[in-house]
């Protein structure tokens, strides 16, 4: 009887330890990854984004302020994240774009690296290298950013031009603001894929 009790106790203890390990693996052990089950997250004000965008893009606050205010008016809400980075693209009817940056959320103790790549087709000729400041709406957990976003883009890059377009998927809206050098004229339809690591294929 005593021996049976010891065996049962050992099994119970092992099961409890295993469950505890699983719970620890699933739980938010890393404070960099808040889980928002209620779909809320601290949002950025236009003043905060204008200051950050001016710093990241290296342009006057007045210049980026107009673009940010327009995005705020279009979306009717405040973004929960932003991405600051750089990208390069080229097109001759069929185009490709590659970028790398850092995702910022108020809940994150440190920024999170993100890569993006995409392909497009349309009336589009030229190439450009850009610094990018992207407003992100509807993002409540940093890992939600990693997916494919369809988008429609109509831009005119004329030496350090400024352009905005929208990408959307599963309730998340991205609004990249680009400023760069080069010449790129046209309009195209394509997709952009955001990932944890660089992918050579743009689709």
């Amino acid at each position: 009887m005593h021996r049976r009790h010891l065996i049962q106790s050992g099994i119970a203890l092992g099961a409890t330890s295993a469950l505890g390990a699983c719970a620890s693996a699933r739980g938010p052990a890393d404070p960099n990854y808040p889980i928002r089950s209620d779909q809320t997250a601290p949002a950025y004000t236009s003043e905060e984004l204008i200051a950050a965008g001016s710093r990241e893009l290296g342009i006057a606050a007045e210049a980026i302020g107009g673009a940010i205010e327009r995005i705020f008016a279009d979306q009717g809400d405040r973004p929960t994240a932003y991405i600051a980075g750089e990208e390069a693209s080229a097109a001759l009817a069929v185009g490709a774009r590659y970028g790398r940056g850092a995702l910022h959320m108020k809940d994150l103790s440190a920024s999170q690296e993100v890569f993006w790549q995409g392909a497009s087709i349309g009336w589009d000729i030229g190439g450009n290298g850009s610094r990018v400041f992207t407003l992100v709406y509807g993002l409540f957990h940093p890992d939600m950013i990693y997916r494919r976003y369809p988008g429609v883009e109509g831009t005119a890059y004329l030496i350090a031009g400024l352009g905005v377009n929208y990408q959307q998927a599963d309730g998340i809206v991205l609004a990249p603001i680009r400023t760069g050098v080069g010449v790129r004229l046209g309009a195209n339809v394509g997709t952009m894929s955001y990932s944890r690591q660089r992918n050579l294929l743009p689709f």
Side-chain angles (χ1 to χ4, degrees), residues 44-77:
Y44 287 95
T45 65
S46 60
E47 291 78 12
E48 290 173 320
L49 292 169
I50 289 171
S54 175
R55 179 182 66 252
E56 296 289 348
L57 296 182
I59 61 177
E62 292 77 9
I64 193 171
I68 288 177
E69 293 295 345
R70 173 61 185 271
I71 295 170
F72 268 55
D74 288 347
Q75 297 300 318
D77 202 356

Side-chain angles (χ1 to χ4, degrees), residues 63-146:
I64 193 171
I68 288 177
E69 293 295 345
R70 173 61 185 271
I71 295 170
F72 268 55
D74 288 347
Q75 297 300 318
D77 202 356
R78 297 193 300 171
T80 56
Y82 70 85
I83 301 171
E86 298 177 337
E87 68 178 21
S89 66
L92 183 60
V94 176
R97 186 187 301 273
Y98 295 91
R100 176 182 181 177
L103 173 70
H104 299 263
M105 297 182 72
K106 287 191 171 183
D107 275 358
L108 294 180
S109 61
S111 62
Q112 179 164 312
E113 189 173 43
V114 59
F115 296 88
W116 59 92
Q117 48 278 320
S120 63
I121 185 170
W123 185 79
D124 197 7
I125 300 175
N128 67 282
S130 304
R131 300 182 73 174
V132 186
F133 187 76
T134 301
L135 276 57
V136 184
Y137 288 84
L139 187 73
F140 308 115
H141 186 283
D143 286 349
M144 293 169 61
I145 195 71
Y146 302 118

Side-chain angles (χ1 to χ4, degrees), residues 135-188:
L135 276 57
V136 184
Y137 288 84
L139 187 73
F140 308 115
H141 186 283
D143 286 349
M144 293 169 61
I145 195 71
Y146 302 118
R147 65 187 68 210
R148 186 177 300 277
Y149 298 83
V152 179
E153 178 180 296
T155 58
Y157 284 89
L158 296 174
I159 307 302
L162 187 68
V164 177
N165 73 292
Y166 294 100
Q167 302 155 3
Q168 182 172 357
D170 299 326
I172 300 174
V173 178
L174 308 182
I177 303 172
R178 297 185 176 95
T179 179
V181 295
V183 177
R184 185 171 180 183
L185 299 173
N188 60 60

